């Protein structure tokens, strides 16, 4: 009986899948709009993005990784690893052993990236599959000797239209087919830094432009016939918070700049002492009530930011909205990089496609959970990572998931059914007990029968 049900069921499923497009391998386009703070979605209008969400899923808050900077977070999304485990621990790094430097302008040495394997490499190791990138940190670097089959060298001057045109061309025309693709755009990060997120007028304009780009993306996918079968994730690396000239921490007021080297400055400073570490630490410790000063071994475990040679002996973490400077004026009106438990640092995630539910809203996941979800969609075996696939099950059509309100509903429903059943049984028993004497009479009559015979 059980096997019959399973047979019927699998027959149903293969019957639905049997046709054309579904037999092709699943495809996924991963899109990042840099610095898209989660609550922009509540505070501004996004007609195109809201339409995308209406037919797909939304995760309102994605808890990202510390430090909440661009390169580290983009690499966590595609590896599922905390920064200490994937090795891109900042946008500016120094390795004491090799004496190598890394910056967002000088990022092409695979040395920095090889501590992890991003999903585009794993995808390409599968037979008959290739990956493509219209930019994303690391996609123009031969990581483990492998770049995506199709990629662009990073250049901020390439328009969104050109990135979109080229990535969709690759998604359509390539053999072996491109099954994983990335698309990266610098806004609203650049404007968030320039104006600060509290500049409603300028942010309104910039965010409307972003929404129009999302409109173009969806339109293009529909025109090309990709819309129904392509899975699309739109997300971001981090949020943005307002800074102020009244919230400056000037390290030069506290310590002689010759006693240490600064590898990274704000809002998380990476300090490499040139003299006795304890002395440097003691001076910085009392420098400002608006930043936390940690010896590497004392960095809180919740940051998962300790076990890597590229993390310097002392780090300074500014409070939200505070800027660390060296005797200079305020460099930017908006910034990110702060504590990843701050909701202003969180991005969102929206997704659409055959793998995702339609019209489902979810409260929160971690950015490291995106990787195992993407591997599941693509049918790839995930590499060891810090994400939890279970956190994303509610987003996926092929997974069974109950969230808390549903669970409460089911329990109440079950109790109602039980109560009703019990009631019915009691009534039935009462009804049955009425004709009892009667049946006894009948029985007695029956008993008499043999006598008659
Ligand atoms: C199956 O494919 C055929 C031809 O490719 C098409 O006419 C038909 O509509 C498809 N059926 C479904 C359920 O997609
Ligand atoms: C790869 O593609 C070739 C040619 O289309 C096909 O013969 C082969 O079975 C495919 N391999 C896999 C694992 O899908
Ligand atoms: C990227 O730049 C390198 C060095 O400038 C060049 O050799 C390579 O062909 C470029 N690749 C692409 C895909 O444009
Ligand atoms: C996009 O594709 C066009 C046409 O193939 C090509 O000329 C152009 O160089 C590509 N752009 C980038 C940034 O690779
Ligand atoms: C800070 O800069 C000002 C000039 O802008 C200079 O006069 C002052 O000595 C500097 N202070 C320190 C501690 O470097
Ligand atoms: C250290 O401060 C002096 C002036 O106080 C300045 O001339 C010098 O450039 C600073 N060095 C660094 C590495 O910032
Ligand atoms: C560093 O300085 C502290 C306090 O000033 C001192 O106790 C310690 O011995 C010094 N360590 C070294 C290695 O010089
Ligand atoms: C994160 O995952 C890596 C790879 O499995 C593992 O080595 C590391 O210990 C994990 N980190 C935490 C905090 O669990
Ligand atoms: Zn930024």
């Amino acid at each position: 009986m059980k096997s019959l049900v399973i047979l019927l069921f699998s027959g149903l499923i293969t019957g639905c899948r049997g046709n054309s497009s579904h037999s092709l391998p699943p495809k996924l386009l991963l899109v990042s709009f840099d610095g898209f703070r989660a609550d922009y979605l509540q505070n501004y209008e996004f007609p195109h993005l809201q339409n995308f969400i209406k037919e797909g899923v939304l995760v309102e808050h994605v808890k990202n990784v510390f430090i909440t900077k661009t390169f580290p977070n983009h690499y966590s999304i595609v590896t599922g690893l905390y920064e200490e485990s994937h090795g891109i621990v900042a946008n500016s790094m120094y390795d004491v052993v090799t004496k190598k430097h890394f910056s967002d302008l000088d990022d092409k040495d695979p040395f920095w990236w090889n501590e992890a394997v991003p999903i585009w490499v794993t995808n390409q190791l599968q037979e008959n599959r290739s990956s493509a990138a219209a930019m994303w940190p690391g996609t123009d670097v031969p990581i483990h000797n492998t770049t995506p089959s199709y990629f662009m060298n990073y250049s901020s001057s390439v328009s969104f239209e050109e990135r979109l045109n080229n990535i969709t061309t690759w998604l359509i025309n390539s053999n072996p087919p491109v099954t994983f693709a990335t698309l990266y755009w610098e806004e609203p990060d650049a404007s968030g830094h320039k104006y600060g997120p509290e500049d409603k007028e300028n942010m309104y304009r910039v965010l409307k432009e972003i929404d129009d780009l999302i409109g173009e993306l969806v339109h293009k996918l529909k025109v090309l016939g990709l819309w129904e079968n392509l899975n699309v994730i739109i997300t971001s690396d981090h949020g943005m918070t307002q800074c102020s000239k009244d919230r400056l921490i000037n390290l030069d007021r506290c310590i002689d700049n010759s006693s240490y080297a600064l590898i990274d400055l704000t809002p998380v400073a990476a300090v490499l002492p040139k003299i006795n570490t304890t002395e440097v630490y003691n001076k910085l410790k009392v420098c400002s009530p608006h930043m936390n000063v940690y010896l590497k071994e004392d960095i809180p475990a919740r940051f998962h930011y300790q076990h890597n040679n590229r993390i310097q002996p002392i780090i300074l973490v500014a409070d939200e909205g505070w800027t660390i400077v060296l005797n200079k004026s305020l460099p930017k009106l908006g910034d990110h990089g702060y504590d990843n438990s701050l909701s202003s640092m969180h991005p969102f995630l929206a997704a659409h496609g055959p793998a995702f539910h339609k019209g489902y809203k979810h409260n929160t996941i971690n950015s490291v959970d995106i990787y195992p979800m993407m591997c599941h969609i693509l049918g790839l075996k995930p590499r060891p990572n810090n994400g939890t696939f279970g956190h994303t099950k509610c987003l996926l059509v092929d997974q069974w998931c109950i969230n808390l309100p549903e669970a409460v509903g089911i329990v109440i429903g079950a109790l109602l059914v039980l109560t009703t059943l019990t009631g019915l049984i009691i009534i039935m028993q009462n009804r049955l007990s009425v004709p009892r004497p009667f049946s006894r009479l009948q029985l007695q009559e029956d008993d008499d029968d043999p006598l008659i015979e």
Side-chain angles (χ1 to χ4, degrees):
M1 181 62 197
K2 214 176 188 180
S3 52
L4 191 76
V5 170
I6 290 170
L7 256 175
L8 268 172
F9 205 73
S10 56
L12 254 168
I13 288 171
T14 39
C16 295
R17 286 207 174 158
N19 234 5
S20 58
S21 57
H22 285 286
S23 52
L24 294 173
K27 294 186 178 191
L28 174 63
L29 172 63
L30 174 65
V31 185
S32 168
F33 288 97
D34 198 318
F36 196 128
R37 173 169 152 163
D39 70 1
Y40 287 162
L41 256 180
Q42 277 85 58
N43 298 331
Y44 297 88
E45 279 163 30
F46 293 90
H48 292 114
L49 180 53
Q50 293 296 356
N51 277 337
F52 179 95
I53 290 166
K54 225 178 278 166
E55 296 176 42
V57 297
L58 170 67
V59 180
E60 286 171 329
H61 278 267
V62 174
K63 186 177 180 196
N64 49 356
V65 293
F66 184 80
I67 62 176
T68 52
K69 289 275 192 179
T70 298
F71 273 62
N73 271 279
H74 276 100
Y75 211 40
S76 287
I77 293 172
V78 295
T79 60
L81 292 167
Y82 298 127
E83 295 174 23
E84 65 178 5
S85 292
H86 68 49
I88 305 294
V89 302
N91 290 349
S92 298
M93 295 186 279
Y94 173 69
D95 185 80
V96 271
V97 180
T98 57
K99 307 222 174 344
K100 289 183 178 198
H101 289 269
F102 175 97
S103 79
D104 45 5
L105 303 171
D106 177 13
D107 66 350
K108 291 226 174 177
D109 186 342
F111 163 77
W112 297 100
W113 304 91
N114 281 345
E115 290 189 3
V117 182
I119 189 168
W120 60 80
V121 172
T122 305
N123 185 54
Q124 237 158 237
L125 296 177
Q126 306 290 306
E127 212 177 329
N128 291 350
R129 290 186 184 193
S130 53
S131 305
M135 304 186 199
W136 189 281
T139 51
D140 54 1
V141 181
I143 302 173
H144 299 283
N145 298 318
T146 310
T147 60
S149 301
Y150 309 91
F151 72 96
M152 297 170 185
N153 283 318
Y154 178 72
S155 161
S156 60
S157 61
V158 177
S159 71
F160 186 83
E161 286 69 22
E162 187 170 346
R163 298 182 200 192
L164 177 60
N165 278 335
N166 291 24
I167 200 74
T168 48
T169 304
W170 289 328
L171 273 163
I172 288 175
N173 288 338
S174 312
N175 192 20
V178 168
T179 53
F180 177 79
T182 64
L183 174 58
Y184 168 81
W185 186 239
E186 286 81 356
E187 290 281 17
D189 181 72
S191 296
H193 285 301
K194 187 172 169 194
Y195 304 114
E198 285 172 12
D199 182 341
K200 290 272 148 55
E201 205 173 305
N202 277 304
M203 289 316 291
Y204 175 87
R205 182 178 49 74
V206 172
L207 293 172
K208 186 181 180 314
E209 283 167 17
I210 300 285
D211 188 58
D212 289 342
L213 297 182
I214 291 172
E216 272 181 48
L217 165 71
V218 172
H219 179 71
K220 181 110 196 161
L221 295 179
K222 284 182 176 167
V223 167
L224 295 173
L226 283 168
W227 178 243
E228 293 301 331
N229 295 318
L230 179 67
N231 294 293
V232 181
I233 295 174
I234 300 178
T235 187
S236 183
D237 48 353
H238 55 69
M240 188 69 68
T241 198
Q242 190 71 28
C243 298
S244 162
K245 63 177 170 45
D246 303 323
R247 293 194 293 266
L248 293 178
I249 300 163
N250 180 6
L251 298 186
D252 283 341
R253 271 190 35 237
C254 309
I255 183 169
D256 188 333
N257 72 4
S258 64
S259 61
Y260 64 95
L262 259 186
I263 311 304
D264 201 1
L265 179 56
T266 190
V268 178
V271 176
L272 176 56
K274 288 182 182 165
I275 56 162
N276 184 323
T277 297
T278 314
E279 272 175 44
V280 174
Y281 172 77
N282 286 341
K283 282 184 177 156
L284 289 168
K285 184 81 189 153
V286 294
C287 188
S288 165
H290 303 291
M291 72 177 179
N292 286 304
V293 179
Y294 300 111
L295 286 169
K296 182 173 180 175
E297 54 271 28
D298 299 333
I299 298 173
R302 68 185 177 87
F303 287 146
H304 304 299
Y305 194 80
Q306 189 172 47
H307 305 290
N308 196 294
N309 285 336
R310 300 162 188 181
I311 296 168
Q312 300 303 329
I314 301 172
I315 68 163
L316 322 176
V317 183
D319 289 351
E320 183 175 12
W322 286 78
T323 303
I324 302 172
V325 295
L326 290 177
N327 202 22
K328 289 249 173 63
S329 54
L330 182 71
K332 299 165 183 172
L333 279 170
D335 211 356
H336 54 88
Y338 301 93
D339 189 332
N340 62 327
S341 66
L342 294 166
S343 67
S344 61
M345 292 298 107
H346 296 167
F348 76 105
L349 180 146
H352 177 280
F356 297 101
H357 282 298
K358 296 205 184 300
Y360 178 76
K361 277 206 173 110
H362 198 73
N363 191 253
T364 187
I365 61 170
N366 302 311
S367 61
V368 290
D369 299 331
I370 300 171
Y371 171 78
M373 177 179 78
M374 295 194 298
C375 288
H376 173 80
I377 292 170
L378 292 170
L380 302 175
K381 183 168 178 285
R383 298 183 50 89
N385 66 85
N386 305 119
T388 303
F389 175 60
H391 292 167
T392 61
K393 278 186 174 178
C394 288
L395 309 178
L396 299 169
V397 288
D398 67 354
Q399 295 298 306
W400 170 242
C401 116
I402 311 177
N403 50 30
L404 190 61
E406 265 175 14
V408 170
I410 287 171
V411 169
I412 292 175
L415 282 176
L416 274 174
V417 168
L418 271 179
T419 326
T420 318
L421 273 179
T422 320
L424 274 176
I425 288 168
I426 290 170
I427 291 170
M428 296 271 278
Q429 277 179 341
N430 287 344
R431 283 226 179 128
L432 283 175
S433 56
V434 175
R436 257 231 174 110
F438 206 81
S439 60
R440 251 198 189 164
L441 265 175
Q442 270 183 333
L443 263 174
Q444 276 167 357
E445 276 170 15
D446 285 350
D447 281 350
D448 289 345
D449 275 353
L451 282 179
I452 294 167
E453 243 183 8

